[in-house]
Amino acid sequence: MTALRQRKGSKGKEHPPLGADFQPQQTNCCTDHHPEKMLHGDWSWGAIVWTSVGWSVSVGLGLLCCIYVAMLHENDLWFSNIREVEREISFRTECGLYYSYYKQMLQAPSIQEGLSDLIHDNLTESKRTINLLQRMNIYQEVFLSVLYKLLPIQSYLEPVYFYIYTVFTLQAVYVIALYLTAWLLSGSWLAGALTGVWYILNRVDTTRVEFTISLRENWSLPFLALQVTAITCYLRPQLTSLQQKVMVWLMYVMTFCFCLTWQFNQFILLVQALIIYTLDCVDFLTTTQVTTLYLVQVSGLLSVWLLQFCNSMILGSLVLSFIVAALFIRHCQKALQLRSDEHIFKFIKSKFALGATRDFDASLYLCEEAFGLLPLDTLERLAGTLLLYPYVLTLLLLTGMLAVAALQNLNRSKGGSTEERKGAAEGRAVAFRPDVAYNLLHTLFFGLLAFSTMRMKYIWTGHMCAVAAYGVCGTELWTSLLTTLRCNIKGLLRLVRYAVPLAMICCLYYKFWPKLMEELSELREFYDPDTVELMTWISTKTPKHAVFAGSMQLLAGIKLCTGRVLTNHPHYEDKDLRERTRQVYQVYARLSPEDVYEILKAVGTDYVVLENSICYERRHRRGCRLRDLLDLANGHIMDGPGENDPDLVPASHPRFCEAIKTDTTAYTALFTRTFQNKTFHVYRLKKKRKKSTKNSSEPTTTL
């Protein structure tokens, strides 16, 4: 929908080897400094300076990433120079819907009235009053709007900049969290530096924040990364009781923030719960650790459940079923009549060929590239930045060591006296550090998820940078290699651990710094005159409470730019809304004008917007175009050459979005064209008169 054009005049502590015998006398002789080292009483000048440098580098890399994505956003759109309506149109699809609530809260006479309007909203879905705080994860928009009103910044910072700068700042938090995870695992902040460099250089595969600012994952993933950092620290040995309690509270707060800001939190936490369960099964975690991690997840989810007005989708989630009691929750799901997330399970069933489907909702996901398999060119890009090779080597080495350690733990646990089993439990960290084991399974599980669904790669690739940096700067990989070469000297090990990451950072700087500068020199400009014309017309020529029907993506923009009432929208986590969307989309199917009119009137439509890009779509292959999905769901033969299932039949009516443009009597009797340009056609629904006793073959209408 939105185009970009070139601007005029612009350029285009050292850890013993995993599996080594326990040597307590070596515990405190390590010269590396973890970020929590001073908490254990090491207040030497060397520790203070080295740790301070490490923290400074983390903040510097975080700010560098923040500034980098902010400049890309400005350079792509010339955001500072375009009109307000163009800025709002640049919030694509569901991003525009979420940002509209931030705008709505700012325009409210008071915070209380703004909250009341969100709790009793009748603009987002026509003929319905819904609680937006229950239905959607928009507390971040509420929080930012309140903060903007309270802070004395209105005179020099526009609301839109306050919003986007907050999101970009979260990217800095994300980088710092990954940095700390790598530092904790390896014992060297050079691993954190390498992590931050890799994250920035692989921006295409680690984030898409610069063009999808309001997307929920851009709010939530920084908190997930912080939670993983807190878990990594919690699972480290030698923490005092107070430090453990602090880590537990940090885990809870980060889990809560993560769950509050993304509707798919339950599926991510389910994978995390499976990781914890796996580690528990192979005896890498103590009972206290397992119980604590589970309780943190449950507490975070239940806190969000309360804030979202007892949202049944959270209470009946699989992760709670897994943690609390699968059988009990399974019976509760019947009582709760959970249908909000059933489209996800239909999608999973169809994606893994567990049954053919013509289900409209599942097909809508399956046909999107973001929900397909991870493209192989992703791996080529990751290899080009020297990230993939150390990651794979680290993964293979640690997986082998984990398997050996797991077998040893299981053998120790079999039989024996209580004292022997207790001794085995105390020695489980000797075979394999719990923090390393957690991060290894985290990257494995989410890597598999990324390969199965491309959109999930953004959860995996950031953590992948931390794991690869740990492999380069940690002891395990180099100890194995030097032992194989029969030159495992402690001084040489330390030299390699510092020299190799520094050499890699220098190599990456030499190779990619000119490319980054070239990328930042490319200046483009937002250019979408047809959409701007449409939004301007709607704002000036239609009633303020007019109801608009159309595609989910376009209607989100209409809500943001004009404040008009919608029939449907992109937040798809509601059964009734999905059915309403499928009905509204019949304007692109082969139905009679009378049937389409009745469908649109049933949801209170005053205007319907038809898009040529959907009606004559060529972006998707046959069978995945929206009109094809509708034909299949309606049992009709699809357009164009190709095979059709034998049970499909020809439609008895032409395609509505095409036929209405012919202005035949059957269509003009029910619809009046009120606006058109090269991209959009807008029709107003006429009011039907009651049929007279003479009753004609076609209904009479009034304008």
Side-chain angles (χ1 to χ4, degrees), residues 28 30 107 114 134 188 211 214 216 254 261 269 304 464 550 613 628 651 667 681:
N28 295 322
C30 171
Q107 293 176 343
Q134 179 188 50
S188 171
F211 62 90
S214 304
R216 303 297 83 179
M254 294 305 111
T261 51
L269 291 187
V304 174
M464 177 187 185
S613 59
D628 296 336
Y667 294 90
H681 294 256

Side-chain angles (χ1 to χ4, degrees), residues 359-615:
D359 182 78
F360 178 77
D361 300 323
S363 299
L364 209 56
Y365 280 102
L366 287 169
C367 286
E368 286 298 323
E369 183 182 3
F371 292 92
L373 298 177
L374 187 72
L376 293 179
D377 62 353
T378 303
L379 301 180
E380 295 177 5
R381 289 193 298 271
L382 296 175
T385 59
L386 307 181
L387 170 61
L388 186 63
Y389 305 117
Y391 175 77
V392 172
L393 289 174
T394 304
L395 212 59
L396 292 174
L397 176 65
L398 293 181
T399 302
M401 299 175 73
L402 178 73
V404 172
L407 290 175
Q408 290 176 349
N409 285 348
L410 292 174
N411 288 334
R412 287 180 195 150
S413 300
K414 287 182 180 178
S417 63
T418 303
E419 292 184 359
E420 290 175 341
R421 288 197 296 270
K422 182 179 179 181
E426 291 175 350
R428 66 182 57 152
V430 176
F432 206 96
R433 285 166 42 198
D435 56 337
V436 175
Y438 173 82
N439 280 276
L440 173 60
L441 291 189
H442 184 100
T443 193
L444 281 173
F445 278 51
F446 284 103
L448 292 174
L449 186 62
F451 272 92
S452 67
T453 306
M454 187 183 74
R455 185 175 179 179
M456 295 295 108
K457 74 175 180 179
Y458 299 104
I459 306 175
W460 172 58
T461 48
H463 189 260
M464 177 187 185
C465 297
V467 172
Y470 161 58
V472 173
C473 301
T475 60
E476 290 74 25
L477 187 63
W478 295 116
T479 299
S480 300
L481 179 60
L482 293 176
T483 301
T484 302
L485 298 175
R486 297 183 179 181
C487 54
N488 189 10
I489 305 171
K490 189 173 182 180
L492 180 60
L493 173 63
R494 184 165 302 161
L495 175 64
V496 169
R497 288 181 58 214
Y498 286 100
V500 171
L502 284 173
M504 293 184 72
I505 291 174
C506 291
C507 177
L508 292 172
Y509 174 84
Y510 177 79
K511 181 179 179 181
F512 289 100
W513 183 257
K515 294 182 180 179
L516 290 180
M517 293 299 99
E518 182 181 356
E519 182 181 28
L520 291 175
S521 69
E522 293 178 358
L523 305 178
R524 299 184 181 89
E525 179 182 359
F526 176 90
Y527 184 72
D528 191 0
D530 289 349
T531 306
V532 171
E533 184 184 15
L534 172 67
M535 298 302 176
T536 304
W537 177 83
I538 293 175
S539 298
T540 58
K541 302 297 183 181
T542 65
K544 290 185 177 180
H545 295 287
V547 178
F548 278 78
S551 69
M552 296 183 290
Q553 295 80 4
L554 179 63
L555 290 184
I558 290 177
K559 170 73 168 62
L560 171 59
C561 298
T562 71
R564 299 306 188 260
V565 185
L566 313 181
T567 57
N568 52 301
H569 53 81
H571 195 274
Y572 220 45
E573 278 61 56
D574 180 76
K575 171 68 175 178
D576 294 332
L577 176 65
R578 291 195 295 272
E579 176 58 27
R580 176 183 278 205
T581 298
R582 189 182 69 84
Q583 290 295 324
V584 169
Y585 277 9
Q586 297 301 317
V587 296
Y588 297 107
R590 292 188 179 105
L591 292 183
S592 68
E594 293 80 12
D595 289 340
V596 173
Y597 181 89
E598 294 300 331
I599 288 171
L600 295 177
K601 269 300 178 184
V603 294
T605 306
D606 296 315
Y607 296 87
V608 58
V609 185
L610 301 179
E611 301 171 62
N612 290 338
S613 59
I614 298 178
C615 190

